[in-house]
Amino acid sequence: MSVEAVEKASPASFLDRREAGFLHFVKYHGLGNDFILVDNRDSSEPKISPEQAAKLCDRNFGIGADGVIFALPGINGTDYTMRIYNSDGSEPEMCGNGVRCFARFIAELENLQGRHSFKVHTGAGLIIPEIQEDGKVKVDMGEPILKASDTACKQDQSVVKSGLNVDGVTWNVTCVSMGNPHCITFGTEGGQLAEIGPKFENHEVFPARTNTEFVQVFTHSHLKMRVWERGAGATLACGTGACAVVVATVLEGRAERNCTVDLPGGPLQIEWREENNHIYMTGPAEVNDS
Ligand SMILES: N[C@H](CCC[C@H](N)C(=O)O)C(=O)O
């Protein structure tokens, strides 16, 4: 069913159709990082399995997406819970582009107009997206995690500009977690991501695998990155990755705390605020109907 049809039909018709085994979903994207968003507010468990999600994400035999995101009831005083399956069916802790899409999806479901913020429970803890007047979404992404063992990296100190041997080549990397693990390296576009990406993703130093970002620094406030995502491969954008990249760039003394990060799908504005150590990400989230 086309997105228009999904949007125009009354919710009641979708409730009936869902009884008949249909799934109410809408496709959104954040800078081309695209997701199937499922209204799961009436159940505390995702309506579909990781295996079914992987099938839906298949771009030839399914709907096609980088992941499936579920809007579940909130817990412990939050408004909603967000869960996500990557396109390989693995479940990450958090998704930056996804939570912006999540906020816009909730606003559609609840018929909300204008500025609105939500308290969202995620695997990375409390995340607060706020829909801005211009339709963009500003997200309080919480604090970065730098202790190596918490960045799902087996090395025991924080990993800043450390040598990592990947398939016989030593790369300088900085590891940062935004709830999900990121390995950041500077100075190259990464070449053939499909070749080098999986070697980082599945490196034995990352027991939970890792997302990997290849960064070029244009100025102290303008960066460019490409990403090989854990469980999704090369994507057009990665919100948690852009946040981790700004942290790594500041830690390596290459940039200021407020940066524009250019991704293949477009730019994100990232600020690592000194006074509270929180990271704020601002960017678009749109329905895939253009
Ligand atoms: N593949 C990521 C999850 C999605 C993150 C990305 N799409 C974002 O916008 O943050 C992981 O396994 O950690």
Side-chain angles (χ1 to χ4, degrees):
M1 174 168 280
S2 76
V3 171
E4 289 72 24
V6 167
E7 279 193 307
K8 293 195 180 86
S10 70
S13 66
F14 282 97
L15 286 175
D16 304 342
R17 286 170 62 77
R18 196 171 52 195
E19 292 319 306
F22 286 85
L23 187 68
H24 175 195
F25 72 89
V26 182
K27 260 211 85 184
Y28 278 81
H29 73 92
L31 300 178
N33 187 206
D34 60 341
F35 304 97
I36 296 161
L37 274 99
V38 174
D39 180 3
N40 215 109
R41 292 173 296 169
D42 58 356
S43 157
S44 58
E45 284 302 316
K47 289 185 181 340
I48 60 171
S49 68
E51 295 72 25
Q52 288 170 319
K55 285 194 181 120
L56 287 179
C57 289
D58 187 297
R59 294 193 186 280
N60 297 103
F61 300 101
I63 300 164
D66 292 326
V68 181
I69 291 178
F70 303 90
L72 302 139
I75 60 171
N76 306 334
T78 58
D79 302 312
Y80 298 96
T81 296
M82 180 180 93
R83 287 181 64 178
I84 169 174
Y85 293 146
N86 283 315
S87 54
D88 73 348
S90 61
E91 180 169 6
E93 301 80 354
M94 179 45 195
C95 179
N97 288 319
V99 79
R100 298 199 315 274
C101 296
F102 182 93
R104 292 294 303 268
F105 180 52
I106 292 294
E108 293 270 330
L109 291 175
E110 307 280 7
N111 276 321
L112 303 173
Q113 308 296 327
R115 187 182 287 268
H116 273 280
S117 73
F118 306 102
K119 288 184 184 149
V120 182
H121 169 72
T122 73
L126 174 65
I127 300 291
I128 304 174
E130 182 185 50
I131 299 173
Q132 310 288 292
E133 290 302 340
D134 65 0
K136 283 189 178 175
V137 185
K138 180 169 187 174
V139 187
D140 176 349
M141 297 285 283
E143 300 185 55
I145 300 159
L146 304 178
K147 201 153 137 270
S149 52
D150 296 341
T151 62
C153 171
K154 274 198 250 177
Q155 293 170 342
D156 56 5
Q157 73 291 357
S158 69
V159 178
V160 178
K161 215 171 182 176
S162 291
L164 178 70
N165 186 311
V166 180
D167 206 24
V169 176
T170 299
W171 296 71
N172 274 326
V173 301
T174 290
C175 294
V176 177
S177 170
M178 291 303 297
N180 60 345
H182 294 272
C183 177
I184 296 108
T185 188
F186 292 89
T188 164
E189 283 205 326
Q192 293 302 319
L193 285 185
E195 201 177 303
I196 190 66
K199 292 175 182 168
F200 276 91
E201 176 183 2
N202 300 297
H203 195 289
E204 52 94 23
V205 82
F206 302 114
R209 300 188 291 165
T210 190
N211 300 285
T212 306
E213 287 82 15
F214 301 87
V215 185
Q216 290 171 289
V217 179
F218 291 149
T219 71
H220 275 193
S221 59
H222 186 192
L223 313 174
K224 179 183 178 185
M225 69 173 257
R226 296 174 74 213
V227 61
W228 178 267
E229 285 199 35
R230 174 181 66 170
T235 61
L236 292 178
C238 179
T240 51
C243 295
V245 158
V246 170
V247 172
T249 314
V250 172
L251 291 177
E252 292 202 14
R254 298 171 185 259
E256 299 154 4
R257 287 173 165 266
N258 205 330
C259 289
T260 299
V261 181
D262 288 349
L263 299 115
L268 285 174
Q269 199 57 38
I270 309 291
E271 177 195 3
W272 181 16
R273 202 168 288 174
E274 195 146 18
E275 57 269 30
N276 64 2
N277 195 37
H278 281 221
I279 299 185
Y280 297 86
M281 166 189 65
T282 304
E286 284 139 329
V287 175
N288 282 70
D289 65 350
S290 41

